[in-house]
Amino acid sequence: PLSHMANRICIVGAGLSGLSCARRLMKAGLDVTVLEKHNNAGGRMLTRNIGGYSYDDGAQYFTASHDAFVEVVDKMISDKIIGKWEGEVSVLKAATHKIEAPSHNTTRYVGVGGMQAIPQALSKTVNVIYGERVQMLEREGEGKWTLSTHTGAMYRGFSAVVLAAPPGQVHDLVSMSGSASLAEQVASVVMRPCWSVALKMSSRLPVEYDGAFVHDSPLNWIARDSSKPGHEGAGDVWVLHATNDFSQKHDKAEADKVGRELREALAHASGMDEVRSAEVIHVTRWTHSIPAKPREERYLWDDRAHVGVCGDWCGGPKVEGAFVSGYELAG
């Protein structure tokens, strides 16, 4: 609905959904400003650099099928920003250490050198103002929107506003918009947490897989991050993602304790004792990891308020889902 509106649009959030929305609106000739609370773009497509090692802490890889997304992916492959992850991905039964159902038929893509390379590249053509956390949304003269941030800055004169962030982060702003229907829809989505742990092995872990969905374990996903394009030569770095149930149960746990527990879970699942001597590089608690039940709609829009909401919690909690949510809201 947005591309048919005149004038200026403000987008809150420079994750993939917000950037996708912004780029399509700009292509339609609209004036777009993106406000981002962090100092870089990407949201959960986060690549950390710690102690000389870089690794994907959030989104691990993605697939592509939507025509508009495939077009972007193909262009970024040619620009060497995106590459295919050729690692062996399997299902690992923790109780028996058995590997089942290798997924040979899925083409998996990653950012070269890290997933964050993708939103960073997309943001280069977008007017993104970093370090601005929006705290207030209000109508002023002629029905235009004004957004106020934690720095005291005020951004005025917008015909429409897009909130491209997890529901818990945008609910207050949606309520300020005066749209009761949007507020109710946003409040209906519960985001579940996820603990993420990065490990540096003392030597290459001698297992047949580079990634695995883990069953019967506190772990949901494990990946040899150093098997991804652009991460070679960084030593044997593994990223572990806990199940949502484990993460919810250990919601208030100390990060160090979680790191040790998930390292032990990997040792048990893999059957490799040497995992226990691995260095825990970093532990992250993703508060807004995945929706317990995503909205079926690709995006939410209130035509009276001229306020929209998008993100991977609309239509499908994946990288492609985030892109498509913002893209279709812009249309």
Side-chain angles (χ1 to χ4, degrees):
L2 280 169
S3 62
H4 305 294
M5 298 181 60
N7 289 239
R8 305 174 63 224
I9 296 173
C10 185
I11 298 175
V12 179
L16 186 59
S17 187
L19 293 173
S20 170
C21 185
R23 285 164 56 89
R24 191 177 190 189
L25 291 172
M26 291 168 60
K27 192 173 182 179
L30 291 161
D31 182 357
V32 181
T33 298
V34 179
L35 301 178
E36 168 56 47
K37 66 179 181 179
H38 295 298
N39 293 320
N40 47 50
R44 281 163 287 164
M45 295 180 75
L46 176 66
T47 303
R48 292 194 188 276
N49 294 278
I50 296 176
Y53 305 107
S54 67
Y55 65 93
D56 291 322
D57 195 17
Q60 295 289 291
Y61 68 86
F62 62 93
T63 57
S65 59
H66 187 280
D67 288 347
F69 191 46
V70 169
E71 183 180 346
V72 170
V73 170
D74 287 345
K75 174 67 167 62
M76 296 183 98
I77 288 174
S78 68
D79 292 339
K80 296 181 169 47
I81 297 166
I82 287 175
K84 291 182 181 180
W85 182 27
E86 305 286 1
E88 182 72 31
V89 176
S90 302
V91 173
L92 176 61
K93 298 283 190 178
T96 60
H97 319 310
K98 297 294 185 182
I99 304 167
E100 297 183 7
S103 302
H104 294 297
N105 298 325
T106 301
T107 301
R108 297 178 175 85
Y109 300 99
V110 295
V112 175
M115 291 288 279
Q116 200 162 2
I118 299 166
Q120 285 178 340
L122 294 174
S123 67
K124 287 181 179 178
T125 58
V126 178
N127 177 28
V128 183
I129 303 174
Y130 295 102
E132 292 283 27
R133 185 176 68 252
V134 178
Q135 294 183 321
M136 184 72 67
L137 177 63
E138 54 191 335
R139 289 273 200 190
E140 292 202 344
E142 300 180 355
K144 302 294 186 182
W145 286 109
T146 294
L147 295 89
S148 306
T149 73
H150 76 294
T151 65
M154 300 182 75
Y155 297 86
R156 303 177 185 273
F158 295 101
S159 301
V161 173
V162 171
L163 304 173
Q169 295 181 358
V170 301
H171 183 263
D172 288 349
L173 295 177
V174 170
S175 298
M176 291 174 193
S177 75
S179 173
S181 61
L182 271 188
E184 182 179 353
Q185 289 171 304
V186 170
S188 72
V189 181
V190 176
M191 298 294 284
R192 304 191 69 189
C194 176
W195 282 104
S196 172
V197 175
L199 299 179
K200 167 68 169 63
M201 303 296 170
S202 57
S203 60
R204 181 178 172 83
L205 197 64
V207 293
E208 301 173 25
Y209 45 84
D210 297 300
F213 298 96
V214 189
H215 293 182
D216 309 315
S217 170
L219 296 168
N220 177 60
W221 165 258
I222 58 176
R224 193 193 309 265
D225 195 88
S226 45
S227 69
K228 296 178 179 179
H231 284 185
E232 305 89 344
D236 202 29
V237 177
W238 284 75
V239 174
L240 324 177
H241 283 181
T243 64
N244 294 129
D245 286 343
F246 174 93
S247 300
Q248 191 74 58
K249 183 179 178 181
H250 295 79
D251 187 46
K252 305 298 183 184
E254 293 292 330
D256 289 349
K257 183 174 184 292
V258 170
R260 292 191 298 271
E261 286 194 35
L262 294 182
R263 179 177 61 186
E264 177 60 30
L266 177 59
H268 173 73
S270 65
M272 297 289 163
D273 289 338
E274 54 263 52
V275 170
R276 295 185 173 91
S277 62
E279 175 190 357
V280 177
I281 300 174
H282 192 72
V283 181
T284 302
R285 180 183 176 275
W286 290 99
T287 305
H288 308 285
S289 170
I290 192 167
K293 184 180 180 182
R295 298 288 307 185
E296 292 184 3
E297 309 95 326
R298 283 291 190 190
Y299 59 83
L300 306 177
W301 172 253
D302 187 312
D303 198 44
R304 290 187 62 187
H306 287 183
V307 173
V309 188
C310 59
D312 66 349
W313 51 277
C314 291
K318 296 184 178 181
V319 169
E320 182 172 43
F323 178 94
V324 174
S325 178
Y327 182 85
E328 293 196 357
L329 174 56

